[in-house]
Each structure stands twice: as structure tokens, then as C-alpha cells.
């Protein structure tokens, strides 16, 4: 806005109107100085974190991202506080490697491990995400680039996309303090109706009866003292943030501290965490900017036993009538719970202690009017202490006799990532209408991880907790180091500041490549045309339109030792140490290569009342790494990693924004986003190889999605007079049926959503009251109900197990024959994710208290779910490593997503 003013006038007010398409916004691209959005040929999703956090009940970085960037899918594991999610961008693109995007904080690559934490004995409960170590209140914005077309300059490891977290910086002015106090609660919504009613014989009479142990426990009907107890409490959420920012033209600062203590709905689940951040920007010279960023977090997350290994959920979901009473009519000591009672499980302690330091130093040097240079040096250091402990405890002997003498397992993991990143950009006018920008850069990334594990069991006396106090002890130690070095050259031409053409090439070498594999090269080409600024543009209702297209490549390196021939230690003859072949290795092993074409447009319509952002992408992953069986005659058993597969992802992403009402008293904002993904394996490297096993019920099969569900599909059956299934027929894959013994394994669904999106709205009244709501959905995927699998298949706890003649014959045959389509269901859901009301006190009132701004926000989360999925929770899944947690939507014995209410008081002064 340009507005003439009179010298000395102190009452000037300049109001900026929000633009639906912000073409001049500077985004992070990997080059020095950043780049205007108008010059970038690919889509960059940007989340204004500060605005979202103030208005919504945001508890983590993943909450902040969820449903706000089309094509980015957040897949949560459990409702426990302190737990995290997996992040998928534009589908699954690998058969063997991680699917997680790279994570940067203020230009430094940081640890983005998912599924960390103590591993309980069983399936495991590793549900903590390192992404959530960062405090959302310290974040200014998040930028997401989604595939190889945008991530070429980030090189190897960037094929799954890049998430950039940009933390807050100080502004010129007097010190400004901000205090935020959050108080709230979370709870298990309607547990009495959602927790399963199981069936089984009453030991007193032999009659088949139902049991809902949650209801019995709450009413006290399963206790001799008849005192009711609620299995799930209302957990208290509390958080306190204090920050100060300000500075002069030469020195600006932002300093913040945070404390949070959050309780889950189970007494043994809570988070206690401290974090701090200090960002400093110095301008020692008119040509030099120095920005330092330091963040530190430490805390403890206590988790409940879960995810198949046991715990209150296991014992409650799979309650048994024959463990409610004894034959003589007295109460059974288990009170109907499957295994241990809640108080017995509380004797097990599982926690993760974390200490994390993230620091970066960025130097920007405007060497000449045409040359800008940037150097970033930083480190991210994480130390985890993951512990599972049960002291010697005679009280748990009736339930867990093998654990009664106690044990402690501790895994300490240290991860350090170091970043050195240099780039320089030379920009000059070739002629008046043509501008050239040449960028060069080089990066060095080093990752070092160390793992020490120790285990001890059989404590000689109660009260002992250390491994050294155990009678039986064992341990291990390992470390892994990986390094990447790369360089890029990029050339961009800008014509009339309207048309931009960019080409680049990057070369990388990684320590995990095979010794016979040379450098890998990743090219890039993109174009952007702001056609609405051309003189010939004649559509008045379309006030801005940018066309864009991009092609780019990126990659992902193999596992650190996958290319190497390795040997395992063994005890040889006469107990002399020796080695035996372990992995044959592959000296020709290289990275997976992702190639992507992306086209789309950004448009502002009706005087920027409506904004549209549409993108189509086509991504191909070649040289996908696959485990292949090798001949025993080589002397090495097992498998070998090879570059063999090809995977394709295609989809459309749409983001629409609208401001239907804009008046001095009322403003109404709407946004809608939707993304599609079609995922398909094109090849497994050998025409004769059409599929490989990817885990329980999962296959990588040519022509189908990665890690898809495959099994025989039961279509018809009959029941005999006793209710036993007979004449079972399965689909033959070509329109007919055959006896199930002769039927092939068929495709039963994909594990990740084909469609996802969200609807967001906010209404501002009188500039002070803001009402908001967010609804998101995920559709087109299939989810395995592991609770039904355990209840009906294994433990005979379903009513169908006892009264089969009252049910459909196909359902009974599915249970008896354990057919996968009996426990696979559409995982589609729509969730009322967030609702909020925020009120800012008038300035005439805040000034009386010496404050600049006072805002009170009342917000709720996960209020209602629309779904036909019959299990406990359509979002819950395993997060631990392996087939179930790595790719598949598999729910079993998991606490559902909790409802939350949070009240926030923000005061600035």
C-alpha cells in the first residue's frame, strides 16, 4: 500500500488487505536469500503457525500440520499423551526404506525418528515422535515441499519431501513480553458404549453370558466391596509459555521458556517437559546478517502398557465372563479382566527421558549488490533413555508370575546430526527486462547414532531398581555413522518479473552407497508464469493467475550397512571366538531415485475474495531397494539388498480459500483442501517376480499399491445344523467362485488413504470475537480390526462364537476359517477435529492493566467422528517398526484418540 502522509502526523493508519495468492512471499528453497513464490515452479505449502496456535487446541507439531497441507497425511498411533504419528507425503514410495520426510529447523537437518520409546515385551509401544519435541508456540511458520520436483536441491534422503520449521525472531522495538497459560482436560469419550461387550460361559452355571468389564468396574458389580471405580480418569492438561522479544535495527532477540505437564486417561500415562529457545539476529555491518538459534528440551514421558503387549486396554477389551466368578459363586481375583487387573499393570513402569539440543548459526553476506552468500552451520543432538521396569512384587504373582521377581530393560540411544550448508547466488540484469540468478551450493550432513542396551532380571529384594542389583544381566552396544556430501548448480532467468525458468543439477555421494557405485546426479527444471500480469490479460474477475510446472529428481540412500559384506560373531571350536557369514552385501547398491513431474496453477478470483491452488503430480521411484533371497551355495544365507523395483504415485491436490464476507464488523474466512493419491508398484525388477511378502497379510505385488492387503476372499457359505460352516466358496479373481482351498490370494485394499482433506472456517465479529472449526477426512483405505481378530478368532469372546445360527453364514465362516475379509473394513472417517472461540479484550480495558493485548480462547478437539468402521478408532494404529507399524493400518489394543478441551489465556505487555 502506498499512501501520502503529512510529516509529523502520528495518526496514520495503513490497513493491508489479505491476498488470496501471495506471489511475492519469500519461501525457503535451499538457495541463498530465499525466493519469491512467484519464481518457484512447484507448490510450497505454508502454515502460519502463530495464527493457528493462538486459536486452536494445538498440542504438538503434528497437530499443527494435520489437515492444513493437502497431500500430507498424519497417521496417529494412540490416544496416549506424549504419543506421536507417522507422516506420509504423496503416498508410499519405497518397499524397504523409511517413508518419513526430512525435517529441518532454521536450516539445520534434525532427527525425525518416529515410533521411539520403551519397547514392552510383545508388540511394543514405541509411539513417541521426535518431531513433537519442538514447541508449537515457538514456531513462526512451517513450509512443506512435497516431492522430488521440489526437493532436488536437498539431494539424497529428500525423496519423501521436506518439512521446514522456521522459529520466531525478534522485531525492532521495546521488549515485548507474552505470557500464555493453558489449562484443559482430555478424556475417553463414551467408554461404556465403545468398549466391547464380550461373551463366554459363566463358570457357575455354564450359561453363555455377556460381560462389559468397564461397566462392572464403574458400578462395583465385580467387587466384594461394591465400590465403583472408573478405569479411565479425566487427565489434566497444563502448559505455561513466557517469551520476550524486541531489539534495535542492529540486534534483535527472541527468548522463550515453556513448561508442560499433561496427564493421560490412565494414571501411568503423563508428560512432564521443559523447553527453552533463544534466537538472536545481529547486523554487525550493512552487508552482514548473523542469526543464531538455540533450542533445548528435556523431560519424561510415561507410557501405559499397550499395543498388544498387555495393559488396561488389553485386559479390558478382552474381558472374560469365566474370570468374573469362581465355580462356587465367589468373585474371581481377576474381576473379569483378561489378564491383570489395572492395579497389577500399574506395577509396570515404561518411560522415556529425553534431552535434546538444537543449534544453528546462519551468516548472510551481501558481498556486492549482485552477490549474496549464505553459510549455515548447526547441530541437533538427542539423547533418549527408554526404560521398562517392574520391581520385585509379590502382589502381581497371581497375574504375572514370571515377572514377579522383577526386571529392568534400558535402551539408551544418542543421535547427533551435523549440518554444514553453503550457498551463493549471483543476480544481475542481462538487460532491462531479463534477470539472471545463478546459484551454487554445497552441503555436508553427518549422522551418528549410538545404542546401548542393558537388561537385568530377578531382584533379590523389593525396592531394588538398578540393573546391577539384578541376579541375571546382559547387554549390548552398537553405533552407526552415515555421511552425505553434495553440491548443486542452479540457473534461473526471470523475464519482466513474470516468467521464470529454472534449471539445476545436484551431485551427491553417501557413505551407504556400494563401493562400486559412483556419484548420483539429480536434475531439476521448472517454469512459472504470472500470466495475469501480462498486458493481454483480459479476465477482470481473475485478478491473479500463475501457471507453474516442475520436473525434478531426488533420492533416498540405502540402510547404512546394506551394501557391505558382514559377518556375525559366534563361538567356534573349543569356545574360541569366530565369525560366520551374515549378509552378502552389494557393492553396486545405490540410492532409490524419485522422479516427479508437477503442474498446476495459483489463482486469485473476485478481487482476492477466492484463492485456488491446484496441483497434479506424477512421481516414479526407480531403483527401489528390495530384499531378494540368495542361493545358499554362496556361503551366505538369507537375503540381499538390490536396486530393482519401480513405484508410481499420482494425484491431485486442491486448496481453496474464500472470504465471502468482509465488512468492518464481520469477516468470514473459509478454506477447503483435498488430495488424491494413486499408488502402484510397476515392477519388482524381474518379469518372473510378481510379488514379495511385506508382512502379515501384506504383499508388494506388481500392479497394486505398496504393502497392500492380500488374502482369499470368502463370498459364500452355509451352516450345518450345529452352526458349523460348510460349502465355503471364495472368489476366483475372474468373476466366478471356487472352493476356498483352491482360491488365489486377492487384493483386499490399500493401507493408506486414497483421499484426504479438510474444511476450515472462521468467523470474526467486531474484530474481537473469533469462532472457528476444522473438519477433516480420510478415505479410500482399508483398516484391519485387530481387536475383532483377537476377540472372535483367538479368544472366542464374540457372540457369534456361541450363537452361530443367528448370524450370516459368511460371517461365521470368516471367523471359523480366519479369512482376512472378516477383519478388514473400510477405514473412511470424517472428524470434527477442532472447535474454538477466541475473544480479545478491547484496548480501553487492556490498557488499564498495563497490557497491550489480552485474549481468551476456549477450544475443543476430536469432538465427533463419522465412520462406518466397526472397531475402536479409525485413526489408531501400530507405530512400532515392522510391517504392521511401518505401513499398515492395523489397530489392536490401542487407546483411541481422546477428546480434549483447552482454555488459553494470552497476555502481551
Amino acid at each position: 500500500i502506498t499512501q501520502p502522509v503529512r510529516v509529523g502526523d502520528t495518526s496514520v493508519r495503513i490497513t493491508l488487505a489479505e491476498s488470496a495468492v501471495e506471489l511475492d512471499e519469500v519461501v525457503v528453497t535451499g538457495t541463498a536469500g530465499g525466493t519469491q513464490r512467484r519464481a518457484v515452479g512447484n507448490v510450497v505449502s505454508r502454515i502460519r503457525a502463530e495464527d493457528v496456535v493462538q486459536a486452536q487446541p494445538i498440542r504438538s507439531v503434528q497437530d499443527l500440520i494435520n489437515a492444513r497441507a493437502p497431500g500430507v497425511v498424519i497417521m496417529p498411533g494412540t490416544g496416549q499423551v506424549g504419543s506421536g504419528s507417522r507422516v506420509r507425503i504423496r503416498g508410499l514410495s519405497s518397499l524397504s526404506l523409511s517413508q518419513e520426510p526430512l525435517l529441518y529447523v532454521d536450516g539445520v537437518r534434525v532427527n525425525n525418528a518416529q515410533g521411539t520409546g520403551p519397547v514392552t515385551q510383545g508388540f511394543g509401544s514405541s509411539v513417541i515422535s521426535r518431531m513433537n519435541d519442538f514447541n508449537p508456540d515457538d514456531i513462526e511458520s512451517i513450509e512443506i515441499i512435497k516431492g522430488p520436483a521440489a526437493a532436488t536441491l536437498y539431494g539424497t534422503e529428500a525423496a519423501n519431501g521436506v518439512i521446514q520449521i522456521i522459529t520466531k525472531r525478534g522485531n525492532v522495538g521495546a521488549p515485548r513480553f507474552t505470557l500464555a497459560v493453558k489449562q484443559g482436560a482430555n478424556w475417553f469419550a463414551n467408554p461404556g458404549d465403545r468398549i466391547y461387550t464380550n461373551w463366554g460361559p459363566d463358570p457357575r452355571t455354564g450359561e453363555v453370558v455377556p460381560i462389559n468389564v468397564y461397566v462392572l468396574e464403574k458400578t462395583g458389580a465385580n467387587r466384594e466391596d461394591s465400590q465403583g471405580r472408573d478405569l479411565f480418569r479425566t487427565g489434566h492438561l497444563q502448559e505455561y509459555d513466557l517469551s520476550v522479544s524486541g531489539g534495535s535495527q542492529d540486534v534483535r532477540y527472541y527468548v522463550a521458556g515453556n513448561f508442560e505437564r499433561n496427564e493421560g486417561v490412565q494414571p501411568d500415562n503423563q508428560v512432564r517437559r521443559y523447553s527453552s529457545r533463544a534466537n538472536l539476529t545481529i547486523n554487525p555491518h550493512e552487508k552482514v546478517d548473523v542469526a543464531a538459534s538455540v533450542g533445548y528440551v528435556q523431560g519424561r514421558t510415561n507410557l501405559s502398557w499397550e499395543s498388544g503387549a498387555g495393559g488396561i486396554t488389553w485386559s479390558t477389551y478382552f474381558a472374560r465372563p469365566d474370570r468374573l466368578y469362581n465355580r462356587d459363586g465367589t468373585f474371581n481375583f481377576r474381576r473379569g479382566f483378561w489378564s491383570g487387573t489395572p492395579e497389577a499393570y500399574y506395577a509396570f513402569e515404561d518411560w522415556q527421558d529425553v534431552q535434546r539440543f538444537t543449534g544453528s548459526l546462519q551468516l548472510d553476506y551481501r558481498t556486492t549488490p549482485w552477490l549474496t552468500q549464505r553459510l549455515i552451520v548447526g547441530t541437533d543432538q538427542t539423547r533418549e533413555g527408554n526404560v521398562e521396569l517392574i520391581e520385585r512384587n509379590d502382589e502381581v504373582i497371581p497375574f504375572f508370575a514370571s515377572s514377579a521377581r522383577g526386571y529392568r530393560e534400558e535402551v539408551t540411544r544418542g543421535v547427533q546430526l551435523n549440518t554444514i550448508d553453503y550457498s551463493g547466488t549471483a543476480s544481475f540484469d542481462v538487460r532491462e527486462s531479463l534477470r539472471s540468478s545463478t546459484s551454487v551450493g554445497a552441503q555436508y550432513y553427518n549422522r551418528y547414532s549410538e545404542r546401548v542396551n542393558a537388561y537385568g532380571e530377578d531382584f533379590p529384594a523389593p525396592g531394588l531398581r538398578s540393573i546391577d542389583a539384578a541376579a541375571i544381566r546382559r547387554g549390548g552396544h552398537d553405533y552407526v555413522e552415515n555421511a552425505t556430501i553434495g553440491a548443486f548448480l542452479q540457473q534461473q532467468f526471470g523475464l519482466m518479473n513474470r516468467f521464470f525458468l529454472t534449471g539445476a543439477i545436484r551431485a551427491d555421494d553417501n557413505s551407504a552407497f556400494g563401493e562400486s557405485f559412483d556419484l548420483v546426479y539429480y536434475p531439476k527444471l521448472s517454469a512459472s508464469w504470472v500470466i495475469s500480469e501480462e498486458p493481454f490479460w483480459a479476465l477482470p474477475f481473475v485478478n491473479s493467475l500463475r501457471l507453474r510446472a516442475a520436473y525434478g529428481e531426488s533420492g533416498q540412500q540405502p540402510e547404512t550397512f546394506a551394501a557391505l559384506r558382514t559377518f556375525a560373531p559366534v563361538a567356534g571350536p573349543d569356545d574360541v571366538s569366530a565369525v560366520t557369514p551374515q549378509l552378502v552385501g552389494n557393492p553396486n547398491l545405490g540410492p532409490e531415485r524419485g522422479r516427479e513431474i508437477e503442474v498446476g496453477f495459483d489463482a486469485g478470483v473476485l478481487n482476492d475474495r477466492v484463492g485456488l491452488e491446484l496441483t497434479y503430480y506424477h512421481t516414479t521411484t526407480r531403483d527401489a531397494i528390495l530384499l531378494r533371497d540368495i542361493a545358499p551355495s554362496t556361503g551366505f544365507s538369507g537375503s540381499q539388498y538390490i536396486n530393482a523395483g519401480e513405484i508410481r504415485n499420482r494425484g491431485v491436490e486442491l486448496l481453496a480459500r474464500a472470504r465471502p464476507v468482509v465488512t468492518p464488523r464481520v469477516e468470514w474466512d473459509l478454506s477447503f483442501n483435498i488430495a488424491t493419491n494413486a499408488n502402484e508398484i510397476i515392477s519388482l525388477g524381474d518379469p518372473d517376480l510378481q510379488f514379495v511378502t511385506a508382512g502379515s497379510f501384506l504383499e508388494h505385488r506388481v500392479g497394486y499399491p505398496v504393502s497392500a492387503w492380500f488374502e482369499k476372499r470368502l463370498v459364500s457359505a452355509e451352516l450345518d445344523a450345529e452352526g458349523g460352516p460348510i460349502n465355503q466358496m471364495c472368489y476366483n479373481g475372474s468373476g466366478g467362485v471356487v472352493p476356498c482351498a483352491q482360491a488365489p490370494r486377492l487384493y483386499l485394499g490399500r493401507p493408506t488413504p486414497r483421499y484426504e482433506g479438510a474444511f476450515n472456517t472462521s468467523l470474526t465479529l467486531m474484530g474481537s470475537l473469533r469462532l472457528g472449526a476444522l473438519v477433516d477426512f480420510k478415505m479410500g483405505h482399508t483398516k484391519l480390526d485387530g481387536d475383532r481378530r483377537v476377540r472372535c478368532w483367538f479368544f472366542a469372546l464374540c457372540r457369534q462364537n456361541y450363537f452361530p445360527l443367528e448370524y450370516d453364514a459368511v460371517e461365521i465362516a470368516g471367523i471359523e476359517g480366519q479369512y482376512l475379509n472378516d477383519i478388514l473394513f473400510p477405514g473412511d472417517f470424517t472428524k470434527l477435529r477442532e472447535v474454538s472461540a477466541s475473544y480479545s479484550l478491547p484496548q480501553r480495558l487492556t490498557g488499564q492493566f498495563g497490557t497491550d493485548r489480552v485474549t481468551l480462547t476456549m477450544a475443543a478437539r476430536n469432538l465427533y467422528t463419522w465412520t462406518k468402521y466397526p472397531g475402536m478408532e479409525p485413526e489408531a494404529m501400530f507405530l512400532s517398526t515392522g510391517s504392521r507399524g511401518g505401513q499398515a493400518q492395523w489397530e489392536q489394543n490401542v487407546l483411541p484418540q481422546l477428546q480434549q478441551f483447552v482454555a488459553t489465556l494470552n497476555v502481551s505487555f
Side-chain angles (χ1 to χ4, degrees):
I1 295 294
T2 301
Q3 178 176 327
V5 298
R6 182 174 298 175
V7 176
D9 189 350
T10 60
S11 61
V12 176
R13 294 182 61 84
I14 299 177
T15 302
L16 299 180
E18 183 176 352
S19 175
V21 180
E22 300 178 13
L23 297 181
D24 295 327
E25 180 182 37
V26 176
V27 295
V28 177
T29 62
T31 60
T35 305
Q36 284 186 321
R37 188 184 292 269
R38 66 168 55 229
V40 179
N42 51 266
V43 65
V44 178
S45 293
R46 188 169 191 267
I47 301 170
R48 294 180 177 85
E50 187 173 10
D51 296 340
V52 177
V53 170
Q54 287 184 357
Q56 301 294 351
I58 301 301
R59 308 299 306 163
S60 67
V61 172
Q62 291 176 333
D63 283 352
L64 183 59
I65 294 174
N66 185 46
R68 292 182 172 87
V72 181
V73 179
I74 303 297
M75 303 166 64
T78 170
Q80 294 192 56
V81 299
S83 65
S85 309
R86 291 196 177 275
V87 181
R88 297 289 180 263
I89 299 179
R90 291 183 174 175
L92 302 177
S93 58
S94 179
L95 303 175
S96 305
L97 303 181
S98 169
Q99 308 281 352
E100 303 296 333
L102 287 180
L103 182 64
Y104 283 75
V105 175
D106 293 331
V108 172
R109 188 177 292 187
V110 300
N111 183 3
N112 189 30
Q114 312 297 319
T116 75
V119 179
T120 57
Q121 296 189 10
F123 287 105
S125 61
S126 303
V127 295
I128 299 174
S129 167
R130 291 275 70 89
M131 182 182 290
N132 292 333
D133 289 340
F134 302 99
N135 182 13
D137 288 271
D138 291 336
I139 299 174
E140 178 181 297
S141 63
I142 296 177
E143 296 181 5
I144 304 173
I145 55 180
K146 301 175 184 178
T152 297
L153 297 190
Y154 294 89
T156 300
E157 299 181 81
N160 296 322
V162 179
I163 297 177
Q164 291 268 7
I165 294 177
I166 302 164
T167 62
K168 294 178 180 178
R169 299 284 172 174
N171 298 313
V172 175
R176 181 180 179 86
F177 293 85
T178 301
L179 173 65
V181 178
K182 300 177 183 178
Q183 297 289 321
N186 56 31
W187 60 93
F188 189 143
N190 305 317
D193 296 331
R194 297 169 68 183
I195 289 178
Y196 307 106
T197 295
N198 295 329
W199 292 76
D202 187 328
R204 300 169 300 178
T205 64
E207 180 185 1
V208 176
V209 295
I211 182 173
N212 184 315
V213 77
Y214 173 82
V215 174
L216 294 177
E217 193 76 4
K218 190 167 185 178
T219 60
N222 60 344
R223 295 173 177 267
E224 294 179 356
D225 57 14
S226 299
Q227 294 181 4
R229 296 175 177 86
D230 200 326
L231 290 178
F232 304 103
R233 67 181 178 182
T234 297
H236 179 205
L237 307 179
Q238 55 181 319
E239 184 174 347
Y240 308 90
D241 294 272
L242 179 63
S243 66
V244 57
S245 63
S248 63
Q249 293 287 350
D250 297 326
V251 180
R252 298 181 299 281
Y253 57 87
Y254 171 84
V255 180
N258 164 271
F259 168 72
E260 63 175 304
R261 182 172 182 173
N262 300 325
E263 298 176 345
V265 298
Q266 297 172 241
D268 52 351
N269 177 214
Q270 64 178 345
V271 175
R272 185 183 182 95
R273 181 161 49 195
Y274 304 85
S275 66
S276 59
R277 174 159 294 278
N279 292 347
L280 182 66
T281 304
I282 305 174
N283 305 110
H285 188 272
E286 63 180 5
K287 294 183 177 182
V288 178
D289 298 332
V290 180
S293 175
V294 175
Y296 179 77
V297 60
Q298 75 170 45
R300 172 171 290 188
T301 300
N302 292 88
L303 295 171
S304 301
W305 255 40
E306 198 185 83
S307 302
I312 297 177
T313 49
W314 176 274
S315 227
T316 301
Y317 294 176
F318 310 129
R320 297 172 49 158
D322 63 347
R323 292 184 175 177
L324 176 59
Y325 292 103
N326 298 314
R327 290 186 178 182
D328 60 5
T330 59
F331 282 112
N332 187 288
F333 66 93
R334 283 194 170 91
R335 305 201 303 270
F337 292 97
W338 167 265
S339 48
T341 57
E343 53 270 23
Y345 273 113
Y346 294 151
F348 292 84
E349 300 179 55
D350 290 87
W351 73 82
Q352 180 187 86
D353 289 325
V354 65
Q355 294 178 318
R356 184 170 190 175
F357 172 84
T358 305
S360 67
L361 181 67
Q362 178 172 327
L363 173 66
D364 291 285
Y365 181 29
R366 294 175 292 279
T367 313
T368 67
W370 53 271
L371 177 60
T372 300
Q373 300 184 80
R374 183 203 67 191
L375 176 66
I376 299 176
V377 179
T379 186
D380 177 56
Q381 301 179 21
T382 308
R383 180 179 175 83
E384 300 173 3
N386 302 296
V387 178
E388 178 172 310
L389 167 69
I390 179 170
E391 299 181 29
R392 188 180 183 98
N393 191 334
D394 295 336
E395 294 182 3
V396 303
I397 288 178
F399 309 102
F400 316 110
S402 62
S403 301
R405 295 191 302 272
Y407 66 84
R408 180 182 181 119
E409 182 174 16
E410 184 161 355
V411 178
T412 300
R413 192 168 75 111
V415 180
Q416 179 173 333
L417 285 86
N418 297 318
T419 299
I420 303 176
D421 182 350
Y422 167 81
S423 66
T425 300
S427 301
F428 57 92
D429 292 331
V430 178
R431 58 187 185 186
E432 185 177 356
S433 60
L434 180 63
R435 187 165 183 81
S436 169
S437 295
T438 305
S439 298
V440 296
Q443 292 77 34
Y444 172 77
Y445 302 108
N446 178 275
R447 176 188 176 93
Y448 177 86
S449 61
E450 187 171 14
R451 183 180 186 274
V452 179
N453 65 285
Y455 176 84
E457 66 178 65
D458 197 354
F459 294 120
L464 300 176
R465 298 171 64 91
S466 71
I467 292 175
D468 277 351
I472 303 173
R473 300 185 296 272
R474 60 178 182 268
H477 170 252
D478 195 12
Y479 64 90
V480 175
E481 186 171 8
N482 180 267
T484 299
I485 187 168
F488 70 83
L489 171 65
Q490 176 174 288
Q491 176 63 49
Q492 182 180 96
F493 291 104
L495 181 63
M496 301 295 291
N497 200 35
R498 296 193 291 265
F499 180 79
F500 302 88
L501 184 65
T502 304
I505 185 73
R506 181 181 176 92
D508 268 2
D509 195 8
N510 185 275
S511 59
F513 295 168
E515 61 181 13
S516 300
F517 186 87
D518 294 327
L519 294 175
V520 60
Y521 296 91
Y522 302 117
K524 168 187 174 181
L525 182 65
S526 70
S528 174
W529 185 17
V530 187
I531 191 173
S532 59
E533 295 181 3
E534 295 291 352
F536 60 76
W537 187 253
L539 294 177
F541 62 91
V542 181
N543 47 287
S544 63
L545 177 63
R546 178 172 75 110
L547 307 179
R548 48 183 167 77
Y551 168 83
E553 298 186 14
S554 187
Q556 188 169 194
Q557 85 279 5
E559 296 290 340
T560 304
F561 298 115
L564 300 178
R565 177 164 296 188
T566 59
F567 298 84
V570 295
D574 300 323
D575 292 330
V576 176
S577 60
V579 296
T580 187
Q582 185 181 42
L583 294 176
V584 66
N586 182 356
N588 298 311
L589 190 65
E592 298 184 342
R593 296 175 62 98
R595 302 178 179 180
E596 184 175 64
I597 297 174
E598 179 184 300
V599 295
F601 68 83
D602 306 324
V605 183
L606 302 176
N607 294 321
D608 274 335
R609 290 290 185 91
V610 178
L612 297 174
E613 183 182 280
L614 181 67
T615 303
Y616 168 79
Y617 66 89
H618 185 289
T619 309
T620 302
T621 300
R622 297 183 178 178
D623 298 330
I625 294 175
L626 184 67
L627 267 176
R628 180 185 64 183
D629 292 336
I630 58 176
S633 59
T634 63
F636 288 80
S637 60
S639 306
Q640 179 187 43
Y641 287 101
I642 61 171
N643 294 108
E646 182 175 343
I647 304 166
R648 183 175 64 199
N649 283 281
R650 296 175 295 171
V652 176
E653 299 164 354
L654 171 67
L655 174 62
R657 303 185 183 94
R659 307 188 75 204
V661 178
V662 182
T663 69
R665 293 178 176 271
V666 180
E667 293 185 14
W668 184 20
D669 294 273
L670 299 170
S671 70
F672 173 76
N673 70 73
I674 187 171
T676 69
N677 173 260
N679 177 255
E680 182 182 354
I681 297 174
I682 304 302
S683 170
L684 292 175
D686 184 345
D688 296 328
L689 182 63
Q690 291 300 301
F691 76 93
V692 293
T693 300
S696 301
F697 311 119
L698 298 169
E699 289 183 4
H700 299 315
R701 184 181 285 268
V702 174
Y704 295 92
V706 173
S707 292
W709 302 105
F710 276 87
E711 188 53 275
K712 298 179 180 181
R713 185 183 302 173
L714 179 68
V715 295
S716 67
E718 298 175 0
L719 297 178
D720 61 22
E722 305 298 326
I726 57 175
N727 299 329
Q728 300 170 45
M729 304 295 287
C730 289
Y731 185 54
N732 66 0
S734 57
V737 295
V738 295
C740 288
Q742 305 170 16
R745 290 164 57 91
L746 301 174
Y747 173 67
L748 298 181
R750 53 180 283 166
T752 55
R754 186 180 178 91
Y755 310 97
E756 59 89 19
F759 175 79
N760 199 343
T761 182
S762 66
L763 180 67
T764 304
L765 305 174
M766 306 299 291
S768 298
L769 178 62
R770 183 182 184 276
L771 307 176
L774 172 66
V775 176
D776 68 297
F777 61 88
K778 294 178 176 66
M779 305 172 65
H781 62 291
T782 304
K783 186 178 179 68
L784 189 147
D785 185 355
D787 291 337
R788 178 180 172 91
R789 176 173 175 258
V790 173
R791 292 174 59 245
C792 300
W793 287 16
F794 302 149
F795 293 168
L797 296 173
C798 294
R799 193 174 186 277
Q800 295 91 319
N801 297 118
Y802 299 96
F803 304 100
L805 293 174
E806 298 181 18
Y807 293 88
D808 181 76
V810 172
E811 181 179 6
I812 300 304
I815 294 173
E816 293 295 323
Q818 298 185 0
Y819 289 94
L820 188 59
N821 58 318
D822 177 65
I823 55 175
L824 276 181
F825 303 97
D828 303 355
F829 71 89
T830 300
K831 184 160 290 196
L832 180 55
R833 184 71 66 181
E834 298 166 1
V835 173
S836 67
S838 179
Y839 180 71
S840 298
L841 270 62
Q843 291 185 350
R844 66 177 183 274
L845 296 179
T846 59
Q848 296 179 9
F849 301 101
T851 59
D852 297 329
R853 184 179 179 87
V854 177
T855 303
L856 177 64
T857 302
M858 314 289 281
R861 188 172 182 83
N862 299 328
L863 287 183
Y864 192 79
T865 302
W866 294 269
T867 183
K868 293 183 179 180
Y869 174 70
M872 182 64 66
E873 167 63 64
E875 282 193 288
M877 62 176 288
F878 284 109
L879 288 188
S880 54
T881 57
S883 61
R884 296 187 180 100
Q887 317 292 0
Q889 287 276 357
W890 181 308
E891 175 199 11
Q892 180 176 305
N893 180 35
V894 176
L895 194 70
Q897 296 296 297
L898 304 178
Q899 290 188 351
Q900 295 180 353
F901 173 81
V902 180
T904 304
L905 177 65
N906 278 283
V907 180
S908 300
F909 53 92

